[in-house]
Structure formats: structure tokens, C-alpha cells
Amino acid sequence: MTEFYDALEQRDPAEREAALMAALPRHIAQAQAATAAGAALLQGVDAATITSRAALATLPVTRKHELLARQQASRAAGGDPFGGFAAIGWRALLRGGQPMAGARRVYQSPGPIYEPEGHAADYWRVARAMHAAGFRAGDLVHNCFSYHLTPGAWIMESGAQALGCTVIPGGVGNTEQQLQAIADLKPQAYAGTPSFLKILVEKSAETGLSVASITKAMVSGEAFPPSLRDWLAERGITAYQSYATADAGLIAYETPAREGLVLDEGIVLEIVRPGTGDPVPDGEVGEIVVTVLNADYPLIRFGTGDLSAVLAGPCPSGRSNTRIKGWMGRADQTTKVRGMFVHPGQVAEVVRRHAEVARARLVVEGEMASDRMTLKIEVPGAPDALPAGLSAAVADSVRDITKLRADIVAVAPGSLPNDGKVIEDARSYR
């Protein structure tokens, strides 16, 4: 099998869904038994009953800022630096009075947030994405993600090595030294950010140090616009993007079809309304929430903070897993209005209080220090046919929840933009 990494990629969608749902009870029980955070967050949950997406949606979402807060609190108390989320560690870490062990490495991401790496081959499951990008056994890969504290380089290196590739640990910076290594060793593939690949190609033209051996690339870590993809293709490099995080590993990856990103086989993905744990209909933009089937770091409903949406239909490449549109912005739209922070979760609470309201979008306008808020609400029927007293009731809810006043404007169902925004900051900052 050369086109596909393994048979899992072509499974019947119903077979895949059944396998994922069957894995959930075991995974949740593992999190409860092996991690302090899992025991606390899932207290009272009967793992055996979590066998459907509807059941999964009843569990709490843990967002990155909450994971950070738990880690910080635990470290301040002299406890587990992972905040109780990891099932592995090292001898000096104790759980239930017993030493923790099993971590191969520990990384630091901005925050700082610390993540463990277990001993499983291809721990972050990136080999699948690299295979889709054309990486094959025997390729020499120039890896330009950072090897300093953060896991980016190791994520790509583990995937490349799982495929049987050899890796040059290029890291970041030192452009001319990297060009010399590329010219001397002639790697076939590149892993790193798309912007640094562009720098290497441009510097190659200036210095005469050839990068012509590189014909394929796996890029990640930043936006990869079609214009840059085409620019690289014109220079003989076919590049594909992957979406991975230090916490979750590979989430989705691009295929030769170039139509969205296909989900990895080792996660359960949900798209939820920002500020809530409520799944949105397919096609609607929301926050990416993943349950990662990794016993070493068993994250349940982990909110990535990134926006995306599910794409309808199968991938033309023949891979049968769900596709997403790719990265579409950040879900945390918290903003400060008249000295008060307003959160997406507060807008969601307003909607929950009024059954007539389907969706809402808080628009903040004006100039700084003279802000005004307008809550646009989608209600059944024409905007001028509001149920009696609804506008005033919603305004009261906004004031009760945010301690701020807002004008209420009713709009027709489906008229609010499908961009994942719950709070739109339209103020002038001049």
C-alpha cells in the first residue's frame, strides 16, 4: 500500500465511528484512574455510559488556559508540574505515594505549559500526515522546527523516523549554515514553518547554495496561504500542511486533493460554540475540541482555542475520515468593555436563558473609552415579530451577566456570519 498509510484511512465511516465510541469508555476510565485531573474533572462520571457523541458532550471541556492554571497551582504547591493531567512522569513525581515513570522527554510551551512525551513510536502520530505529503522510507528530511524546549522538532522527527526517514536536526535560524548542509547533503524533504522554507529558497538564490534537492515539504506552525503554496510549487517544492499541537499531537492533515484537512485516526473531534461545550451543526464555524486516545496523556474534550468547521462529504483522495476547513482563527474572543472583561461564555449564558434565541453575536463599537455594545440575536420569524418583552428581557440578562448595558437587535435566522465569532470588536483604535 503506497497511496495510503494504512487500512484505517479507508474504513467505512460507520466502522470508524463505532471503533471510536467503543474506545471512549476505556479511555475515560483510564483518565479517571491514572490522573488526578481526570479523577477531579470526571468525578461521578460512569465511564461505561460514555459510548456516544451525545454522552461525550455532557463532559466538561478543558481549555488551554484552564490546563495552565491547574499546572501553575500544582507547581506553586510543590506538586505535579503537569497539573495532574499526565499518567507518566519520572521517579521524583509521586501519584498516590508511588513514583511516576515512563516519560521519554518533557517539553515547555508558552505559558509555560509542560507536556510529556511517552515511549510509543510516532508518539504524536505525525507519520500519517508525512506519508500523505509524499515522505517515504529512505528519504533524508531537513527538520527546521525548534529543538529548544518546545516539542515541534521532535513531533516531526518522530513521524519521519517512524516512516524510515533519516533526519537532519536543522532547528531554526543560522540560515547560511543550514543552506550549506542542504547543498552538501541534498535532502529530499523539508519539515518546518512555511515562512522559513521561503527564506531558505530566497537565500539560496542569493548565495548560490542549492536547495534543488528538496522536492517535498511538511509545513505547520503558522498559516499556509495558497499563494505561498503556489510560489513553492513554481520552484519545484510540493508542500502540504498539518495541524498538530503539543498537547494533542496530530489533529488533521492535508492530502493531495487539497480540499480541507482530513482528521487523524487517533482522536475524536467536536466543533463547539466558543465559550461553551455545545457542539454546533456540521458546517458551522466553532472551536476545535479533541479527545485524544493517548493513555499517557489522556486529554478529554480538550479545547484547542482554534476555530474551524466540518466540511461535507468525503475527501477526493479516498480517505474516508471527516474533513475540516483548516485553521480559521482563534476562539478566545474575550475583550474589555468599559473596564470590564466580556467573555464568549457570558454571551452563551444569555442565549441559554432565552429559548427563543438561536444564536447571538455581541458587537462592540465606538472608540476606546466610549464603547457601546449591541447584541444581535437570531429569532424565529421576521425581526419585527419579536415575542412581547423579549428584547427587554434579553437586555436585562446582558446587564445581569456582564454588568454592562447593550442594545438588542433581532435579526432573521441564519443571517449572522458563519465565522465562529461570538464577540466582534469593531471599535476604532486610532
Side-chain angles (χ1 to χ4, degrees):
M1 184 178 295
T2 57
E3 183 179 355
F4 301 102
Y5 180 67
D6 58 23
L8 297 179
E9 294 181 357
Q10 293 182 287
R11 279 186 291 181
D12 181 274
E15 178 188 348
R16 176 183 293 106
E17 184 71 1
L20 290 173
M21 294 304 104
L24 278 178
R26 298 190 299 272
H27 186 60
I28 290 165
Q30 157 73 6
Q32 291 172 316
T35 71
L41 293 169
L42 303 172
Q43 185 176 12
V45 173
D46 181 358
T49 66
I50 310 301
T51 58
S52 68
R53 289 182 179 269
L56 180 63
T58 65
L59 304 182
V61 172
T62 299
R63 292 186 164 85
K64 192 176 285 280
H65 68 88
E66 295 168 320
L67 185 151
L68 173 60
R70 281 182 172 268
Q71 286 199 0
Q72 288 174 329
S74 182
R75 293 197 295 267
D80 176 8
F82 298 123
F85 285 92
I88 57 175
W90 50 91
R91 186 179 58 191
L93 300 184
L94 302 178
R95 182 177 60 244
Q98 298 300 313
M100 292 174 63
R104 185 202 305 263
R105 298 186 184 94
V106 59
Y107 302 98
Q108 183 193 83
S109 295
I113 293 175
Y114 294 99
E115 301 100 2
E117 177 190 0
H119 284 268
D122 192 22
Y123 177 78
W124 285 278
R125 311 174 313 282
V126 174
R128 185 179 304 282
M130 292 182 134
H131 187 275
F135 288 52
R136 295 294 185 269
D139 283 346
L140 179 60
V141 180
H142 194 78
N143 186 8
C144 287
F145 280 105
S146 175
Y147 279 86
H148 178 65
L149 284 177
T150 61
W154 303 97
I155 290 174
M156 291 298 167
E157 180 169 302
S158 66
Q161 291 182 338
L163 288 175
C165 300
T166 301
V167 177
I168 304 170
V172 297
N174 302 307
T175 306
E176 291 194 8
Q177 186 177 3
Q178 302 233 33
L179 284 173
Q180 186 66 60
I182 293 170
D184 290 343
L185 298 173
K186 297 179 175 54
Q188 292 79 40
Y190 165 93
T193 62
S195 61
F196 190 62
L197 178 55
K198 185 173 188 288
I199 288 171
L200 288 173
V201 173
E202 290 173 335
K203 286 290 184 182
S204 168
E206 293 176 14
T207 62
L209 292 168
S210 176
V211 296
S213 64
I214 296 177
T215 59
K216 48 196 168 188
M218 168 56 62
V219 299
S220 191
E222 60 189 26
F224 185 43
S227 58
L228 180 52
R229 178 194 69 199
D230 295 342
W231 185 90
L232 290 169
E234 290 167 3
R235 288 152 180 83
I237 302 173
T238 303
Y240 293 90
Q241 60 183 314
S242 60
Y243 169 41
T245 75
D247 321 273
L250 181 68
I251 295 175
Y253 60 98
E254 194 172 21
T255 75
R258 303 283 192 187
E259 294 187 15
L261 305 181
V262 175
L263 295 185
D264 178 53
E265 300 290 334
I267 64 164
V268 178
L269 176 132
E270 302 168 273
I271 304 290
V272 308
R273 187 154 289 116
T276 78
D278 304 331
V280 300
D282 285 356
E284 185 172 328
V285 178
E287 181 184 5
I288 294 172
V289 169
V290 292
T291 296
V292 188
L293 301 178
N294 175 1
D296 292 338
Y297 200 38
L299 297 176
I300 311 294
R301 300 201 82 200
F302 177 70
T304 64
D306 294 323
L307 294 174
S308 193
V310 169
L311 278 173
C315 180
S317 72
R319 293 167 177 85
S320 60
N321 209 342
T322 302
R323 296 177 299 154
I324 59 174
K325 289 185 178 180
W327 187 82
M328 299 177 69
R330 293 293 294 169
D332 186 2
Q333 300 147 28
T334 299
T335 189
K336 184 177 277 189
V337 181
R338 298 174 222 153
M340 301 285 288
F341 282 107
V342 182
H343 306 274
Q346 292 174 309
V347 178
E349 178 59 27
V350 172
V351 174
R352 275 193 288 267
R353 289 190 181 189
H354 302 277
E356 305 92 333
V357 178
R359 295 175 64 212
R361 184 184 185 101
L362 185 68
V363 181
V364 185
E365 298 173 291
E367 297 183 359
M368 297 299 288
S370 60
D371 309 316
R372 63 180 182 276
M373 299 197 317
T374 301
L375 185 69
K376 297 181 178 181
I377 57 174
E378 288 188 2
V379 294
D384 57 0
L386 275 177
L390 179 60
S391 180
V394 173
D396 288 343
S397 293
V398 172
R399 188 166 57 251
D400 178 44
I401 292 168
T402 69
K403 313 307 178 189
L404 296 165
R405 296 181 182 274
D407 296 326
I408 309 301
V409 175
V411 299
S415 62
L416 292 178
N418 180 23
D419 58 6
K421 283 189 177 180
V422 175
I423 300 175
E424 177 185 352
D425 192 343
R427 289 174 289 192
S428 170
Y429 290 90
R430 292 179 298 172

